[in-house]
Amino acid sequence: MSKDKLVIFDTTLRDGEQSPGASMTRDEKVRIAKMLEKMRVDVIEAGFAIASPGDFEAVKAVAEAITESRVCSLARAVGPDILRAGEALKQANAGRIHTFIATSPIHMQYKLQMQPDEVLEQAVTAVKKARNLTDDVEFSLEDGSRSERDFMYRIIEAVIDAGAGTVNIPDTVGYGEPEEYGEMFRRVIDSVPNSDKAVFSTHCHNDLGLAVANSLSAVIHGARQVECTVNGLGERAGNASLEEIVMAVRTRRDVFAVETGIDPAHIVPTSRLVSTITGFPVQPNKAIVGANAFAHESGIHQDGVLKHRETYEIMRAEDVGWHTNKLVLGKHSGRAAVKARFEELGISFADQGEFNAVFQAFKVLADKKHEIFDEDLQALVSDAGQEAREVYQFEGMEVQCKTGQAPSATITFRALGENRTASSQGSGPVDAVFKAIEKEVHSGADLLLYSVNAITQGTEAQGDVTVRLERGGHLVNGVGADTDIVAASAKAYLNALNLLESDARPHPQRDGV
Ligand code: KIV
Ligand code: ZN
């Protein structure tokens, strides 16, 4: 029996970015978008064009860089938002304007202070306006799962008549329960006279841990688009996780009457890239992409897997991109081999100069660490790529630690091309390094998060450090990697300062666009 296509709509770059602290620069968004394109995601929601000049530029840059996936911008159901989205998407090979307005009684009364008929009229006007700019328009009923059914049927019929090709009914506040949310789709599809003219879409938040279950229930009841994010990133508790949706549909072909066009081999590398860029580590027991997702600890399980893999494994780790720490390169590897491996990982370079900087960093790392894994290469680009274009650059440091004495650090870094050196004591070596940097920089930022992860296994591994700084309500995540975790910490701190300098844009939706 032939199966319906399930459209995978990734909103990592828009709803995912609404996770506090997960803001991404334009270039980081383009890198993630290229990985999503490789994974064959159908629609990439690149941002909310009117939210800020930075968001506009990011949507535009993604629209220009992506040719295989459709690129989408969010827009409230008002003229200026829609025009801005249309402008950002002008160069897209295939674009979509995604416009929305709230339809639940509580949102209409308190937030919008509008009558239902006014909301309906505004929705129709917005869809028509968007259709003047593009053939592909999606309409979302914000807080749809808490909306009154008869009103929902009326507004859906009207927006489809006005030209919306996709109708999304989000569970905005994560209140839905699988049976009830799925059933709602069935009723909508059966009750709206022109429902056959649109694709119905689900968009679930994870406040009760039900985002994936709710989305899949909607699919069982007729939804043919799922909005989701890599690693389940998203506003508050996050959105439905892309990897879980894709692998559930694929693994339980017997239950779902749909199939996706996703190439799952890119799932793990994409998850890693998103985690590195946002500084949100993936919990070890996270389905599909967690470090333990395919690790069998108990002897009984190990024995079973060795005798017959399918006794305990429902998916194959290699299918989703786990390479079991495949050794790729060493210090004798040449430029061509290094470049080719980067390309296989979906990483390209703007020009020869950028690659040269990364290759030099590769050689330095290969001297310190004999085996270079894919993860090391990924860390190297987030590091070297950033250093090439930033205000502060790490040069070197000296740290002294002795039991019973306060650790002290002296760090040298470049600030706008000038060498700066500062020393400080601290409660630990990392604290001493951060205090020394601040003695020179006086950033006024607060340190909100400091985390260290080993990139690969063993004591030779590189430490991958994330530093989250906040200044005036603006959050950034700096990242740094090195075999010396104190050096990685210094690099991450300087990187965060660079981001504070260069990326002072407000947060989409929250900052009153
Ligand atoms: O959660 C939500 O309702 C949204 C809409 C803007 C689609 O993100
Ligand atoms: Zn959302």
Side-chain angles (χ1 to χ4, degrees), residues 382-404:
S382 39
D383 226 20
Q386 307 258 24
E387 277 177 2
R389 55 178 139 72
E390 295 186 351
V391 180
Y392 301 107
Q393 287 170 305
F394 176 79
E395 289 281 306
M397 61 176 203
E398 195 181 309
V399 176
Q400 280 175 343
C401 295
K402 191 169 173 197
T403 310

Side-chain angles (χ1 to χ4, degrees), residues 109-121:
Q109 184 181 346
Y110 294 104
K111 187 179 83 172
L112 300 176
Q113 296 175 342
M114 285 168 77
Q115 294 301 318
D117 282 345
E118 292 173 300
V119 168
L120 189 146
E121 201 183 308

Side-chain angles (χ1 to χ4, degrees), residues 146-189:
R146 294 194 299 172
S147 300
E148 199 259 311
R149 294 296 141 89
D150 285 338
F151 178 55
M152 219 155 97
Y153 302 156
R154 275 211 295 136
I155 193 165
I156 291 173
E157 183 180 354
V159 294
I160 294 175
D161 270 346
T166 304
V167 174
N168 181 36
I169 313 178
D171 184 28
T172 303
V173 292
Y175 182 74
E177 174 279 325
E179 280 227 12
E180 164 201 83
Y181 184 71
E183 176 65 12
M184 175 186 78
F185 275 79
R186 173 61 43 226
R187 283 183 193 276
V188 167
I189 291 167

Side-chain angles (χ1 to χ4, degrees), residues 14-15 98 100 140 142 168 170 172 203 205:
R14 198 278 296 172
D15 217 325
H98 175 193
F100 73 99
S140 280
E142 192 192 8
N168 181 36
T172 303
H203 174 118
H205 281 271

Side-chain angles (χ1 to χ4, degrees), residues 49 134 167 310 356 417:
T134 171
V167 174
E310 277 147 36
N356 289 344

Side-chain angles (χ1 to χ4, degrees), residues 96-271:
R96 171 179 294 186
I97 296 178
H98 175 193
T99 186
F100 73 99
I101 191 164
T103 54
S104 64
I106 187 168
H107 277 229
M108 290 191 290
Q109 184 181 346
Y110 294 104
K111 187 179 83 172
L112 300 176
Q113 296 175 342
M114 285 168 77
Q115 294 301 318
D117 282 345
E118 292 173 300
V119 168
L120 189 146
E121 201 183 308
Q122 192 167 322
V124 168
T125 307
V127 169
K128 286 186 177 158
K129 201 167 187 89
R131 274 303 302 263
N132 285 335
L133 302 173
T134 171
D135 283 349
D136 193 326
V137 174
E138 170 169 339
F139 176 77
S140 280
L141 297 86
E142 192 192 8
D143 206 18
S145 59
R146 294 194 299 172
S147 300
E148 199 259 311
R149 294 296 141 89
D150 285 338
F151 178 55
M152 219 155 97
Y153 302 156
R154 275 211 295 136
I155 193 165
I156 291 173
E157 183 180 354
V159 294
I160 294 175
D161 270 346
T166 304
V167 174
N168 181 36
I169 313 178
D171 184 28
T172 303
V173 292
Y175 182 74
E177 174 279 325
E179 280 227 12
E180 164 201 83
Y181 184 71
E183 176 65 12
M184 175 186 78
F185 275 79
R186 173 61 43 226
R187 283 183 193 276
V188 167
I189 291 167
D190 289 347
S191 310
V192 172
N194 53 0
S195 66
D196 59 320
K197 306 222 162 36
V199 170
F200 283 83
S201 168
T202 155
H203 174 118
C204 296
H205 281 271
N206 206 28
D207 300 67
L208 293 172
L210 293 171
V212 169
N214 284 336
S215 306
L216 292 175
S217 176
V219 171
I220 288 174
H221 288 93
R224 290 296 176 260
Q225 172 175 289
V226 175
E227 302 194 359
C228 47
T229 57
V230 175
N231 299 339
L233 213 63
E235 183 84 43
R236 305 185 309 279
N239 288 61
S241 126
L242 178 146
E243 54 279 6
E244 293 175 24
I245 298 285
V246 167
M247 291 314 290
V249 165
R250 207 180 141 91
T251 307
R252 294 306 310 270
R253 287 195 165 96
D254 55 327
V255 172
F256 298 100
V258 293
E259 59 197 351
T260 74
I262 296 292
D263 177 354
H266 299 287
I267 285 180
V268 169
T270 309
S271 157

Side-chain angles (χ1 to χ4, degrees), residues 38 53 124 306 321 331 339 406 478 497 512-513:
K38 266 193 152 190
V124 168
L306 286 174
K331 69 180 190 179
K339 201 166 190 180
L497 291 176
V513 284

